[in-house]
Each structure stands twice: as structure tokens, then as C-alpha cells.
Coordinates of all heavy atoms in Angstrom, one line a residue:
D331 N 0.8 -1.3 0.1 CA 0.0 0.0 0.1 C 0.9 1.2 0.0 O 2.1 1.1 0.2 CB -0.9 -0.1 1.2 CG -2.2 0.7 1.1 OD1 -2.3 1.5 0.0 OD2 -3.1 0.7 1.9
G332 N 0.3 2.4 -0.3 CA 1.1 3.6 -0.3 C 0.0 4.8 -0.5 O -1.1 4.6 -0.9
D333 N 0.6 6.1 -0.3 CA -0.2 7.2 -0.6 C 0.1 7.8 -1.9 O 1.1 7.4 -2.6 CB -0.1 8.2 0.6 CG 1.4 8.7 0.7 OD1 2.2 8.4 -0.1 OD2 1.6 9.5 1.7
H334 N -0.8 8.8 -2.5 CA -0.5 9.4 -3.7 C 0.6 10.4 -3.5 O 0.9 10.9 -2.3 CB -1.8 10.2 -4.0 CG -3.0 9.3 -4.2 ND1 -3.0 8.3 -5.2 CD2 -4.2 9.4 -3.7 CE1 -4.2 7.8 -5.1 NE2 -5.0 8.4 -4.2
V335 N 1.4 10.5 -4.5 CA 2.5 11.6 -4.5 C 1.8 12.9 -4.1 O 0.8 13.3 -4.6 CB 3.2 11.7 -5.8 CG1 4.3 12.7 -5.7 CG2 3.8 10.4 -6.1
H336 N 2.5 13.7 -3.2 CA 2.0 14.9 -2.8 C 3.1 15.9 -2.6 O 4.3 15.4 -2.5 CB 1.1 14.8 -1.5 CG 1.9 14.0 -0.5 ND1 2.0 12.7 -0.4 CD2 2.5 14.5 0.6 CE1 2.8 12.3 0.7 NE2 3.1 13.5 1.3
V337 N 2.9 17.1 -2.4 CA 3.9 18.2 -2.0 C 3.8 18.2 -0.5 O 3.0 18.4 0.0 CB 3.6 19.4 -2.8 CG1 4.6 20.4 -2.3 CG2 3.6 19.4 -4.3
S338 N 5.1 18.0 -0.1 CA 5.2 18.0 1.4 C 5.0 19.3 2.0 O 5.1 20.5 1.3 CB 6.7 17.5 1.9 OG 7.6 18.3 1.4
S339 N 4.5 19.3 3.3 CA 4.1 20.6 3.9 C 5.3 21.4 4.4 O 5.2 22.7 4.7 CB 3.2 20.4 5.1 OG 3.8 19.5 6.0
T340 N 6.5 20.9 4.5 CA 7.7 21.6 5.0 C 8.5 22.0 3.8 O 8.6 21.4 2.8 CB 8.5 20.8 5.9 OG1 8.8 19.5 5.3 CG2 7.7 20.4 7.2
P341 N 9.1 23.3 3.9 CA 9.9 23.9 2.9 C 11.2 23.0 2.7 O 11.6 22.5 3.9 CB 10.2 25.3 3.1 CG 9.2 25.6 4.4 CD 8.8 24.3 4.9
P342 N 11.9 23.0 1.6 CA 11.4 23.4 0.3 C 10.3 22.7 -0.3 O 10.2 21.5 0.1 CB 12.7 23.5 -0.5 CG 13.5 22.2 0.0 CD 13.1 22.3 1.5
A343 N 9.6 23.1 -1.3 CA 8.5 22.4 -1.9 C 9.2 21.1 -2.4 O 10.2 21.1 -3.2 CB 7.9 23.1 -3.1
T344 N 8.7 19.9 -2.0 CA 9.2 18.6 -2.4 C 8.0 17.6 -2.7 O 7.1 17.5 -1.9 CB 10.0 18.1 -1.2 OG1 11.0 19.0 -0.8 CG2 10.7 16.7 -1.5
A345 N 8.1 16.8 -3.8 CA 7.1 15.8 -4.1 C 7.7 14.7 -3.3 O 8.8 14.3 -3.1 CB 7.3 15.5 -5.6
S346 N 6.6 13.9 -2.6 CA 6.9 13.0 -1.6 C 5.9 11.8 -1.8 O 4.6 12.1 -2.1 CB 6.8 13.5 -0.3 OG 7.0 12.6 0.7
G347 N 6.2 10.6 -1.5 CA 5.4 9.4 -1.7 C 5.9 8.5 -0.7 O 7.1 8.3 -0.5
H348 N 5.0 7.7 -0.1 CA 5.3 6.8 1.0 C 4.8 5.3 0.4 O 3.8 5.3 -0.2 CB 4.6 7.0 2.3 CG 5.1 8.4 2.8 ND1 4.3 9.6 2.5 CD2 6.1 8.8 3.5 CE1 4.9 10.6 3.2 NE2 5.9 10.1 3.7
G349 N 5.4 4.4 1.0 CA 5.0 2.9 0.6 C 5.1 2.1 1.9 O 6.0 2.4 2.7
W350 N 4.2 1.1 2.1 CA 4.3 0.3 3.3 C 3.6 -1.0 2.9 O 3.2 -1.2 1.9 CB 3.7 1.0 4.5 CG 2.2 1.3 4.2 CD1 1.0 0.5 4.5 CD2 1.6 2.6 3.8 NE1 0.0 1.3 4.1 CE2 0.3 2.5 3.8 CE3 2.3 3.8 3.5 CZ2 -0.5 3.7 3.4 CZ3 1.4 4.9 3.1 CH2 0.1 4.8 3.1
W351 N 3.6 -1.9 3.9 CA 2.8 -3.2 3.8 C 2.1 -3.5 5.0 O 2.3 -3.1 6.1 CB 3.9 -4.3 3.3 CG 4.8 -4.7 4.4 CD1 5.9 -4.0 4.8 CD2 4.7 -5.9 5.1 NE1 6.5 -4.8 5.7 CE2 5.9 -6.0 5.9 CE3 4.0 -7.1 5.1 CZ2 6.2 -7.0 6.8 CZ3 4.3 -8.1 5.9 CH2 5.5 -8.1 6.7
M352 N 1.0 -4.2 4.7 CA 0.1 -4.6 5.7 C 0.1 -6.1 5.9 O 0.2 -6.8 4.8 CB -1.4 -4.1 5.5 CG -1.4 -2.6 5.4 SD -0.8 -1.6 6.8 CE -2.3 -1.9 7.8
D353 N -0.2 -6.7 7.0 CA -0.3 -8.1 7.3 C -1.7 -8.4 7.9 O -1.6 -8.7 9.1 CB 0.9 -8.5 8.1 CG 1.0 -10.1 8.4 OD1 0.3 -10.8 7.8 OD2 1.5 -10.5 9.4
P354 N -2.7 -8.4 7.0 CA -4.1 -8.5 7.7 C -4.3 -9.9 8.4 O -5.3 -9.9 9.3 CB -5.0 -8.5 6.5 CG -4.1 -8.8 5.2 CD -2.7 -8.5 5.7
L355 N -3.6 -11.0 8.2 CA -3.9 -12.2 8.9 C -2.9 -12.4 10.2 O -3.0 -13.4 10.8 CB -3.8 -13.3 8.0 CG -4.9 -13.3 6.8 CD1 -4.7 -14.6 6.0 CD2 -6.2 -13.3 7.5
G356 N -1.9 -11.5 10.2 CA -0.9 -11.7 11.2 C -0.1 -12.9 11.0 O 0.6 -13.4 12.0
K357 N 0.3 -13.3 9.7 CA 1.1 -14.4 9.5 C 2.6 -14.1 9.3 O 3.4 -15.0 9.3 CB 0.7 -15.1 8.1 CG -0.7 -15.7 8.2 CD -1.0 -16.5 7.0 CE -2.3 -17.3 7.0 NZ -2.4 -18.3 6.3
H358 N 2.9 -12.8 9.4 CA 4.3 -12.3 9.2 C 4.7 -11.4 10.4 O 5.3 -10.4 10.2 CB 4.5 -11.8 7.9 CG 4.0 -12.6 6.7 ND1 4.7 -13.7 6.2 CD2 3.0 -12.4 5.9 CE1 3.9 -14.2 5.3 NE2 2.9 -13.4 5.0
K359 N 4.3 -11.7 11.6 CA 4.5 -10.8 12.8 C 6.0 -10.5 12.9 O 6.2 -9.4 13.3 CB 4.0 -11.4 14.1 CG 2.3 -11.4 14.0 CD 1.8 -12.0 15.2 CE 0.4 -12.0 15.2 NZ -0.3 -12.5 16.3
N360 N 6.9 -11.3 12.8 CA 8.3 -11.0 13.0 C 9.2 -10.8 11.8 O 10.4 -10.8 11.8 CB 8.8 -12.1 13.9 CG 8.3 -12.2 15.3 OD1 8.0 -11.2 15.9 ND2 8.0 -13.3 15.8
V361 N 8.4 -10.5 10.7 CA 9.1 -10.3 9.4 C 9.2 -9.0 9.0 O 8.4 -8.1 9.3 CB 8.3 -11.2 8.3 CG1 8.9 -10.9 6.9 CG2 8.3 -12.7 8.6

């Protein structure tokens, strides 16, 4: 998962994007 690219709120103006992962069943707790 991740968010849409956006301009960060702190100067200087910067395009920013984040990515992450979710483990909905909890099968990878220590991974």
C-alpha cells in the first residue's frame, strides 16, 4: 500500500510518496 504523491508541507517544496505493507492475517509478525 502507499499514498498518492503529494507536495510535502515543509519547505522546500518537495514531491513525496510513501510505501508500506500490511499483514491482515498476522502471518508475518516478526518479518
Side-chain angles (χ1 to χ4, degrees):
D331 206 350
D333 57 9
H334 300 302
V335 178
H336 55 280
V337 176
S338 60
S339 59
T340 56
T344 305
S346 180
H348 302 92
W350 59 85
W351 67 288
M352 306 297 285
D353 181 18
L355 298 179
K357 292 188 174 197
H358 307 290
K359 289 182 182 181
N360 296 315
V361 173

